[in-house]
């Protein structure tokens, strides 16, 4: 038996347990309660974990010191924004350090200026944006849609993330194609699948789905749908028409 077991300590409750990387315990921002392995609620849970109930949390605000070079980058970014007469707390909604990654959550109206500062400031020099990904959190009320940018500093050998949120009923985020031209197709793909509208993009059209496609297929509330498939003479119904095992 492990020391934790011998001492009657549940390692899941120990935030400092080295064998549980990334555990947040009761910290973070709860956005929903998930039932079952994957949160299925309209087709039955066939995993055998239908009785599992657990909260889903987003990482919360980190406190100083962040550790390593994270503090250096945060200090430099905040100082550079102040030099532009922009209060850092107005642009940076929160700073998250989770699973060894640094993420700045940026107010969407200030995204272009923050991105340009990260690119151009000599002490930062995040010259490359490797793309933007969309995320849909239906339970994160008022900021259901998230855009996540991965920035890399070739000069300093560093990687960080920017995250910007927008509500379902106003899914607008400024484009940063003029700062990072490689984001052209990435922003189109995120628009195509999640419906995030990147204001100022030179040609925001669908890139994967047909131009007349209805809806945004990677949103969590998008109907599963599908078509029947014939396999060795048997008809397999579409996923949303298969029987429930619950």
């Amino acid at each position: 038996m492990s020391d934790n077991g011998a001492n009657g300590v549940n390692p899941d409750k120990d935030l400092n347990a080295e064998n549980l990387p990334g555990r947040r315990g009761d910290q973070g921002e709860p956005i929903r309660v998930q039932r079952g392995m994957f949160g299925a609620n309209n087709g039955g849970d066939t995993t055998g974990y239908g009785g599992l109930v657990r909260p889903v949390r987003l990482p919360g605000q980190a406190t100083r010191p962040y550790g390593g070079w994270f503090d250096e980058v945060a200090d430099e970014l905040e100082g550079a924004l102040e030099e532009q007469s922009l209060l850092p707390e107005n642009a940076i909604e929160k700073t998250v350090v989770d699973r060894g990654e640094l993420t700045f959550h940026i107010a969407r109206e200030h995204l272009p200026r923050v991105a340009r500062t990260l690119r151009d400031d000599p002490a930062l020099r995040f010259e490359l944006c490797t793309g933007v990904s969309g995320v849909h959190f239906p339970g994160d009320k008022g900021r259901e849609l998230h855009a996540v940018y991965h920035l890399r500093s070739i000069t300093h050998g560093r990687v960080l993330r920017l995250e910007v949120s927008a509500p379902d009923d106003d899914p607008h985020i400024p484009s940063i194609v003029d700062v990072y031209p490689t984001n052209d197709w990435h922003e189109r793909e995120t628009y195509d699948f999640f419906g995030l509208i990147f204001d100022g993009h030179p040609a925001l059209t669908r890139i994967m789905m047909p131009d007349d496609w209805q809806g945004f297929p990677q949103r969590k509330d998008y109907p599963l749908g599908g078509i029947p498939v014939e396999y060795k003479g048997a008809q397999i119904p579409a996923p949303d028409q298969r029987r429930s095992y619950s």
Side-chain angles (χ1 to χ4, degrees), residues 37-233:
M37 179 64 76
F38 301 112
N41 56 16
N42 58 0
D45 191 305
T46 62
T47 66
Y49 290 89
L52 181 65
V53 179
R54 63 186 178 89
V56 176
R57 295 183 175 90
L58 299 181
Q61 168 77 38
T63 56
R64 298 268 195 163
Y66 303 141
W69 53 266
F70 294 174
D71 292 280
E72 178 185 341
V73 167
D75 289 340
E76 186 61 37
L77 176 59
E78 292 173 5
L81 294 177
E82 287 178 342
E83 291 174 0
Q84 301 173 54
S85 301
L86 175 59
L87 291 175
E89 56 266 29
N90 290 341
I92 305 173
E93 296 177 336
K94 69 175 179 179
T95 301
V96 172
V97 176
D98 187 59
R99 295 175 173 86
E101 294 182 330
L102 173 65
T103 303
F104 294 116
H105 288 248
I106 306 299
R108 55 179 170 172
E109 64 270 21
H110 296 303
L111 174 63
R113 183 184 297 193
V114 171
R116 192 175 298 276
T117 301
L118 286 165
R119 186 193 68 178
D120 294 345
D121 189 284
L124 297 170
R125 282 282 188 264
F126 285 88
E127 307 99 330
L128 177 64
C129 179
T130 57
V132 55
S133 303
V135 189
H136 186 209
F137 294 114
D140 195 10
K141 299 304 181 183
R143 50 181 190 179
E144 292 87 355
L145 295 169
H146 292 233
V148 182
Y149 303 80
H150 296 262
L151 307 185
R152 178 177 294 275
S153 171
I154 300 173
T155 298
H156 301 294
R158 296 168 174 171
V159 178
L160 62 75
R161 296 165 12 121
L162 299 181
E163 189 161 337
V164 182
S165 62
D168 263 338
D169 57 2
D170 182 26
H172 290 264
I173 291 176
S175 171
I176 58 170
V177 168
D178 61 337
V179 181
Y180 295 109
T182 53
N183 260 25
D184 190 336
W185 284 16
H186 294 288
E187 288 184 4
R188 284 180 59 193
E189 183 179 49
T190 303
Y191 159 72
D192 195 358
F193 288 148
F194 291 91
L196 276 166
I197 300 171
F198 294 91
D199 296 327
H201 188 283
L204 193 63
T205 58
R206 290 195 182 269
I207 191 171
M208 302 292 287
M209 308 302 292
D211 290 339
D212 59 352
W213 192 266
Q214 299 297 312
F216 306 103
Q218 288 192 351
R219 288 197 185 188
K220 297 288 181 62
D221 53 5
Y222 188 81
L224 189 59
I227 58 175
V229 178
E230 183 174 345
Y231 180 70
K232 293 186 177 180

